[in-house]
Amino acid sequence: MSRLYNNQPLLSIPVQTHQLTTAWQPEKHQKGSGVILEGVIESRSRHVIVDTSQAKFRYIVLHVRPSRAHRRKFDSEGREVEPNFSDTWKVNTGYLHSSYKVEARGQTDRLSAAELEAAVTSAELSGLTQQVHRDGCLPFWVGEEELVGMELNSGDNIRLKTRGDGPFIYNVAQLDGATSQVSNFAGGNMVGSSWTEKVMAVKRDQEERREEENQGVEEDEWDD
């Protein structure tokens, strides 16, 4: 069933205005490969940045309680590829693959809570959201115009990618809590031909593909 979306819930959030004494340069917080994570929105806030040129930049900040995170990974040509979700995986053995053994797969790209916080936290930007900080949450910034047509509320399960190592969102998807399937998204390359739809699909789809290829079953860190 389709749903109708509007921005009214987001636009009703009080705005905090921040006057800077320098130029606004979000790109300096976007270096590195970035992260991909899932979590729950605990709260939202709106912020207007006014820099020395008096230009205004409008953002929604999602205060997210992360549940799991991995570092984004790219090949030598800059194309995004599947991260290593686990340092081990199951390899089918025996007649008709009736048993399996666990083999090393290399270093996982999964991030601990401390590693995630270090990767996406900016002291400069955290100072702007300090008054609305929620314990156990990390703030992620997205331009208001990027959420046009998308309804995000406190309590929503989401998956997001960051633009480099910092708190700026490259894309965000709203997840169905029961199936972890994408139900709504905003930003670049989240679904369709994107690798995220393929590697973040429910575990049974991954198992079916691997069984067909006789390659064993990966222990996907994204599923319980």
Side-chain angles (χ1 to χ4, degrees), residues 1-174:
M1 179 181 294
S2 62
R3 295 174 58 186
L4 297 178
Y5 297 95
N6 63 71
N7 292 337
Q8 197 57 43
L10 288 175
L11 297 179
S12 64
I13 301 171
V15 176
Q16 299 186 43
T17 300
H18 310 278
Q19 179 70 59
L20 303 185
T21 57
T22 60
W24 176 237
Q25 298 177 306
E27 62 276 3
K28 72 180 182 179
H29 306 287
Q30 300 175 19
K31 299 177 181 179
S33 58
V35 304
I36 179 169
L37 66 90
E38 289 183 2
V40 177
I41 299 174
E42 294 290 344
S43 65
R44 303 155 300 160
S45 55
R46 293 177 69 202
H47 301 262
V48 174
I49 307 297
V50 184
D51 69 3
T52 51
S53 69
Q54 298 306 303
K56 294 183 178 181
F57 306 87
R58 302 179 183 276
Y59 292 91
I60 300 293
V61 175
L62 305 178
H63 302 269
V64 178
R65 187 178 303 278
S67 57
R68 42 198 164 183
H70 288 75
R71 183 162 290 285
R72 294 178 69 185
K73 196 171 183 178
F74 300 84
D75 65 16
S76 60
E77 296 183 0
R79 293 183 297 245
E80 190 162 10
V81 297
E82 176 183 345
N84 190 358
F85 290 106
S86 175
D87 55 7
T88 61
W89 68 330
K90 296 176 182 177
V91 177
N92 287 326
T93 61
Y95 181 67
L96 295 179
H97 308 291
S98 58
S99 60
Y100 66 86
K101 62 180 178 179
V102 176
E103 290 186 350
R105 192 180 178 186
Q107 185 175 0
T108 178
D109 293 310
R110 185 165 187 168
L111 298 173
S112 67
E115 290 170 333
L116 173 62
E117 184 173 3
V120 302
T121 297
S122 160
E124 177 184 347
L125 297 179
S126 293
L128 301 181
T129 59
Q130 185 174 8
Q131 291 184 349
V132 288
H133 172 71
R134 298 288 295 270
D135 289 341
C137 296
L138 295 173
F140 292 94
W141 295 62
V142 60
E144 281 192 0
E145 70 281 359
E146 296 183 60
L147 291 184
V148 171
M150 184 174 188
E151 182 180 333
L152 289 173
N153 297 298
S154 297
D156 284 347
N157 292 286
I158 62 168
R159 177 188 304 142
L160 64 82
K161 293 181 185 180
T162 64
R163 296 181 181 274
D165 292 345
F168 288 96
I169 294 174
Y170 172 63
N171 57 30
V172 57
Q174 192 176 38

